[in-house]
Amino acid sequence: MPATARDDTHMREALRLAAKGIGRTSPNPMVGAVIVDGRGAVVGTGYHARAGGDHAEVRALAEAGRAARGATLYCTLEPCCHHGRTGPCVERIVEAAVARVVVAMPDPNPAVDGKGIESLRARGIAVDVGLREREAARLNEAFVTWVAERRPFVTLKVAASLDGRIAARPGARTALTSPAANRIVHGLRARVDAIGVGSTTVLVDDPLLTARGAPRSLPLTRVVFDRRLRTPPAARLLGTLDAGPVVVLTVESASAQQRERQARLADAGAEIERLDAGGSLRDAFARLAGRGLTSLVLEGGRRVHEAAWEAGLVDRVQVFVAPVELGPSGVAWMDRGAILRGVDTLSVRACGPDLLMEADVHRTD
C-alpha cells in the first residue's frame, strides 16, 4: 500500500533509533524498529545495540508484548530469516501476529537478501519496502560495502596546506590542523572499525592512531601497509594495544631479514598479515574484510592514498585545509583537481581556522 505521512514519521523514528548503534554494532548493521498499534499509538521500540545482542525487532516486540497483535512494524532493514548469533526475527514477528511490516531497505546479506520479506508475505503478513531507503542505505553504507564488495568502506582523509602540501619537507613531521579539526578526526576514529597508514607515516610521524576525547565502544584496529616491514617494534602505536590490535600488512618473503623483522614485530604485539608477493591493495582490503572490519579511514601517506584512489577503492574523501602555505619545498599531496572531478555532493564547512571539504566518490560502473 502507498506510504502515508504517518508511515514516514514512524520510519524516521526507526532511523533515529538505528543511529544509536553507530560505532557499536560492527560487523552487524545498525537497525531500528518501531511498533504501532491500530489506533496509531507507539507500543514498542528497539534498536540493535551490539553484535550478538538482540535485534531491533526482537527488542521492540518484547516491549510491545500482546499489543503487537495486529500492529504495524517499521524496520530500517529487512528482518532476518536465518540462524546467526540469534534466532530469525521473521519467526518472532509471525508469532507476535503482527499484521503489517514496513521495511526501509532489503538486507544485502546473501543469507537474507529478500528471503525475509518473502517469508513474511508467505505467512500472510503485508510487507511494504522502500520507505526512506536512501537514508537507511546511507546509515549502513559500511555494512553494505562490506557485504557487496568484500572490503571495508574507505574514507580517504588528509590534512593539507593551501598550496596542497602535506609536510614542510620530506621526512618532516608537520602539524597542520587546529584543535577544532582534530576533534572531528577523533570523532570519526571513534565510529569506524579501523585506521590505515603506510609505513612512511609511521616512520615520520610515529602516531598513536587512537581515538582521543571521543567515547568508543569497540576495539579500534590500526593497520600499517608495510611491504618492506619498516615499522619499528618501538613504534608508539604498538604501545597502545589496549585500544585495539595493530595489524601489519606485508607480503610473503623467504628472506631471513624479513622473517627476523616479522618476529620482532610479533614480539612487540603486532599481528602480521602476509599477502602473496603479487598481492594488490584490493587483496589487502579483502583480508581486512575477512577480519570483520567494515570501515576504514586511510590517514596517509600519499602513496597509500594514490594506490587506493587509482584502484577505485575510495568511497569518501575528507580534505582538511589549513590556512598556511608550505611552499615548493613541501611534500605535495595528490592532484586535488582530479579528486574534485571524481566526487559528488561536495560539502565545505569551517573547523576553527581550517576548512573541511568532504565528498562521496562518484561511481560510473
Side-chain angles (χ1 to χ4, degrees), residues 163 165 167-172 326-332:
D163 53 347
R165 313 288 173 169
R169 61 186 182 280
L326 297 178
S329 62
V331 178

Side-chain angles (χ1 to χ4, degrees), residues 71 133 167 210 248 256 261 331 365:
E133 181 172 5
T210 54
V248 177
R261 288 175 176 173
V331 178
D365 53 355

Side-chain angles (χ1 to χ4, degrees), residues 255-278:
S255 75
Q257 184 183 50
Q258 193 85 332
R259 290 198 301 271
E260 182 181 343
R261 288 175 176 173
Q262 288 183 21
R264 289 202 303 267
L265 283 171
D267 287 344
E271 299 179 17
I272 310 297
E273 287 275 5
R274 291 176 289 272
L275 301 172
D276 293 339

Side-chain angles (χ1 to χ4, degrees), residues 25-314:
T25 65
S26 185
N28 285 3
M30 292 169 276
V31 185
V34 173
I35 299 175
V36 179
D37 68 14
R39 300 169 300 165
V42 174
V43 293
T45 62
Y47 70 95
H48 187 45
R50 62 178 179 84
D54 285 341
H55 288 189
E57 304 94 315
V58 171
R59 297 179 72 174
L61 288 167
E63 184 177 295
R66 293 182 179 179
R69 177 175 293 275
T72 297
L73 165 66
Y74 298 86
C75 192
T76 59
L77 189 71
E78 174 183 5
C80 66
C81 55
H82 66 294
H83 288 271
R85 297 191 198 183
T86 60
C89 292
V90 163
E91 299 302 324
R92 300 289 291 272
I93 294 169
V94 172
E95 290 170 6
V98 169
R100 178 183 175 226
V101 177
V102 181
V103 176
M105 65 173 286
D107 188 338
N109 183 349
V112 186
D113 194 22
K115 301 181 187 71
I117 294 168
E118 293 173 4
S119 180
L120 289 170
R121 286 172 173 163
R123 312 286 188 88
I125 297 175
V127 182
D128 297 310
V129 183
L131 179 59
R132 293 200 170 264
E133 181 172 5
R134 180 175 296 181
E135 292 95 324
R138 177 81 172 189
L139 182 66
N140 277 312
E141 58 196 0
F143 174 74
V144 172
T145 300
W146 182 66
V147 170
E149 301 190 32
R150 297 310 303 161
R151 65 168 178 83
F153 181 93
V154 176
T155 299
L156 187 154
K157 192 228 82 174
V158 68
S161 63
L162 287 171
D163 53 347
R165 313 288 173 169
I166 56 176
R169 61 186 182 280
R173 183 178 183 181
T174 307
L176 286 171
T177 49
S178 65
N182 292 340
R183 283 193 293 272
I184 293 175
V185 170
H186 286 284
L188 177 61
R189 288 180 178 182
R191 300 192 300 272
V192 299
D193 293 343
I195 304 171
V197 297
S199 58
T200 298
T201 297
V202 175
L203 290 169
V204 173
D205 294 341
D206 196 17
L208 292 172
L209 299 181
T210 54
R212 300 184 292 280
R216 181 176 176 86
S217 300
L218 299 175
L220 176 61
T221 299
R222 280 70 56 76
V223 180
V224 183
F225 299 93
D226 189 0
R227 297 180 69 88
R228 292 177 286 171
L229 282 183
R230 300 190 300 161
T231 300
R236 291 202 303 162
L237 80 165
L238 288 169
T240 64
L241 296 177
D242 56 333
V246 173
V247 178
V248 177
L249 273 161
T250 188
V251 295
E252 290 284 1
S253 172
S255 75
Q257 184 183 50
Q258 193 85 332
R259 290 198 301 271
E260 182 181 343
R261 288 175 176 173
Q262 288 183 21
R264 289 202 303 267
L265 283 171
D267 287 344
E271 299 179 17
I272 310 297
E273 287 275 5
R274 291 176 289 272
L275 301 172
D276 293 339
S280 66
L281 192 58
R282 185 177 293 276
D283 296 326
F285 285 0
R287 188 70 63 87
L288 297 178
R291 285 175 161 262
L293 301 177
T294 68
S295 55
L296 169 72
V297 177
L298 276 184
E299 293 205 359
R302 184 182 65 188
R303 290 182 179 177
V304 174
H305 283 171
E306 287 176 339
W309 181 264
E310 291 170 3
L313 298 173
V314 176

